[in-house]
Amino acid sequence: MSVKNEKTALVTGGAGFIGSHLIDRMLEAGYTVHAIDNLSTGSLDNIKHLMDHPKFTFDVGTILDEPLMESLISENNYVFHLAAAVGVKLIIEKPVDTIKTNILGSEIILKYANKYNNRVIITSTSEVYGKNDKTPFKEDDDSVYGPTTKSRWSYACSKAIDEFLSLAYHHEKKLPVIIVRLFNTVGPRQTGQYGMVLPTFVKQALLNHDMTVFGDGKQTRCFANVKDVVKSILKLVDSSKAEGQVFNIGSQERISIEKLAEKVRKMCNSKSKIVYIPYDDAFESGFEDMAQRMPDTTKLKKAIGFVPECSLSETINEIIEYYKQ
């Protein structure tokens, strides 16, 4: 059992792209960290540089393993819950796993965090806003989802249930939980394997392959550097006023997907062609996408003084250098 005045933390999804960057910063800040990941989308390559760190340990396992999760949570003071099914492609291909992992996994985390009096960060997503066409999104804006016959919306709904359940634990049981809605977090170590657009574009451009834009490319996104995101998460977890609250974390530097492709191609000095693929061919028949996805970060700025430090150009450069290596 950990000493309760020490910063000991469990990170679920710790071998993932965001999880590994979060752990890097936590270890720098003096945390003792135990990570768990089932390696379905995470990779040992992301944390191999940490394996000899005296304050880091790692388990391959699933958050659906209740005895394991109870044991790990009981030994730590903080839980950073990042494990989830991620990526549009994976969500469409494995909808059952998506729903089970997101909802049942989060229920297990919350149940034992409550039992052992842990402080909890729950990572959610901009997907919870669904098809709402208001922009920028504020934390208390409505969610607008498509029909249940489109598996694409199962992810958004499952993460919304995670939020409802987390807030219920806070209101009913006083669990100190904080929810962060992440908007298109990007940076080194991210893979395009499950549909993430920026690493996909960078790899295609460096190889002079066709750069594939889904739909008409007019859809806009705001890409936040993972360093800005994890810095914000760690500031929030230290704020008692953030308990029971939901916070958007992301950039407000908006760009269309076709402009992003052009920008990456230019920065890579690439000879790639930009080709457009209909959503129905890329994903599933009748696939629906969000036309705009931009966060209102006013609440986050008031809470922790959040101002993104990394521009999109700087972030793209980091990703280019990562893939060149």
Side-chain angles (χ1 to χ4, degrees):
M1 186 71 69
S2 66
V3 179
K4 282 295 178 183
N5 61 2
E6 292 180 358
K7 282 195 168 184
T8 58
L10 172 66
V11 178
T12 72
F17 154 59
I18 300 174
S20 64
H21 282 279
L22 177 64
I23 294 168
D24 284 343
R25 194 162 185 101
M26 291 172 73
L27 292 171
E28 290 172 9
Y31 281 82
T32 297
V33 181
H34 192 113
I36 183 170
D37 201 301
N38 67 357
L39 303 180
S40 60
T41 54
S43 170
L44 290 175
D45 286 342
N46 292 336
I47 54 171
K48 63 184 178 183
H49 63 291
L50 300 174
M51 288 305 193
D52 293 328
H53 196 290
K55 288 193 167 187
F56 177 72
T57 50
F58 176 72
D59 273 338
V60 177
T62 171
I63 57 172
L64 300 177
D65 183 341
E66 282 206 45
L68 174 61
M69 293 313 299
E70 179 173 14
S71 174
L72 293 177
I73 290 170
S74 72
E75 294 170 358
N76 290 282
N77 305 326
Y78 296 78
V79 179
F80 293 79
H81 181 36
L82 282 74
V86 293
V88 173
K89 187 180 178 195
L90 180 68
I91 290 154
I92 290 169
E93 290 175 354
K94 296 186 175 181
V96 173
D97 285 351
T98 296
I99 295 167
K100 283 180 63 177
T101 299
N102 291 353
I103 296 178
L104 296 181
S106 294
E107 181 186 14
I108 290 168
I109 296 293
L110 292 164
K111 178 169 71 173
Y112 291 113
N114 182 65
K115 180 176 179 180
Y116 293 102
N117 196 30
N118 287 79
R119 194 166 181 79
V120 186
I121 285 275
I122 298 285
T123 54
S124 188
T125 169
S126 61
E127 286 280 318
V128 299
Y129 293 104
K131 295 192 288 182
N132 189 333
D133 57 7
K134 175 184 177 293
T135 190
F137 295 130
K138 294 183 70 173
E139 287 86 350
D140 57 358
D141 282 341
D142 290 342
S143 298
V144 182
Y145 300 138
T148 56
T149 51
K150 302 295 181 189
S151 59
R152 182 251 192 281
W153 297 112
S154 66
Y155 177 67
C157 290
S158 67
K159 295 303 285 184
I161 291 294
D162 285 354
E163 291 195 19
F164 279 123
L165 189 59
S166 300
L167 294 172
Y169 265 90
H170 175 74
H171 293 312
E172 184 178 327
K173 302 179 184 296
K174 310 305 178 191
L175 179 68
V177 62
I178 301 161
I179 297 165
V180 294
R181 288 182 186 155
L182 306 185
F183 281 71
N184 294 92
T185 306
V186 292
R189 300 180 199 159
Q190 188 176 39
T191 172
Q193 184 179 0
Y194 299 102
M196 282 58 174
V197 65
L198 192 46
T200 298
F201 280 171
V202 169
K203 284 191 282 188
Q204 289 170 336
L206 288 174
L207 294 168
N208 293 311
H209 292 171
D210 286 349
M211 298 178 70
T212 48
V213 172
F214 300 146
D216 63 7
K218 307 296 184 191
Q219 65 274 31
T220 62
R221 297 292 184 264
C222 300
F223 296 93
N225 190 293
V226 67
K227 290 184 290 189
D228 287 330
V229 171
V230 301
K231 182 178 175 182
S232 298
I233 289 172
L234 290 177
K235 281 189 175 181
L236 283 172
V237 82
D238 284 336
S239 170
S240 59
K241 291 181 180 178
E243 292 174 13
Q245 301 288 321
V246 180
F247 294 90
N248 290 333
I249 301 182
S251 165
Q252 291 195 302
E253 187 178 351
R254 179 158 48 182
I255 189 171
S256 72
I257 298 302
E258 65 179 356
K259 293 290 185 187
L260 179 69
E262 291 166 5
K263 186 177 182 71
V264 169
R265 179 172 65 178
K266 184 177 180 180
M267 291 178 69
C268 290
N269 296 313
S270 175
K271 298 186 174 85
S272 295
K273 294 179 182 177
I274 296 175
V275 298
Y276 294 80
I277 298 176
Y279 282 125
D280 286 7
D281 294 343
F283 299 116
E284 62 180 352
S285 178
F287 178 84
E288 298 175 295
D289 200 10
M290 299 165 77
Q292 302 179 77
R293 197 180 293 174
M294 180 182 182
D296 184 322
T297 55
T298 304
K299 185 177 179 182
L300 186 67
K301 188 171 184 178
K302 285 181 180 177
I304 61 168
F306 171 77
V307 177
E309 296 177 7
C310 301
S311 69
L312 178 58
S313 294
E314 290 169 333
T315 303
I316 292 171
N317 266 326
E318 288 180 0
I319 297 169
I320 290 170
E321 290 308 309
Y322 172 76
Y323 277 112
K324 279 183 176 178
Q325 291 169 15

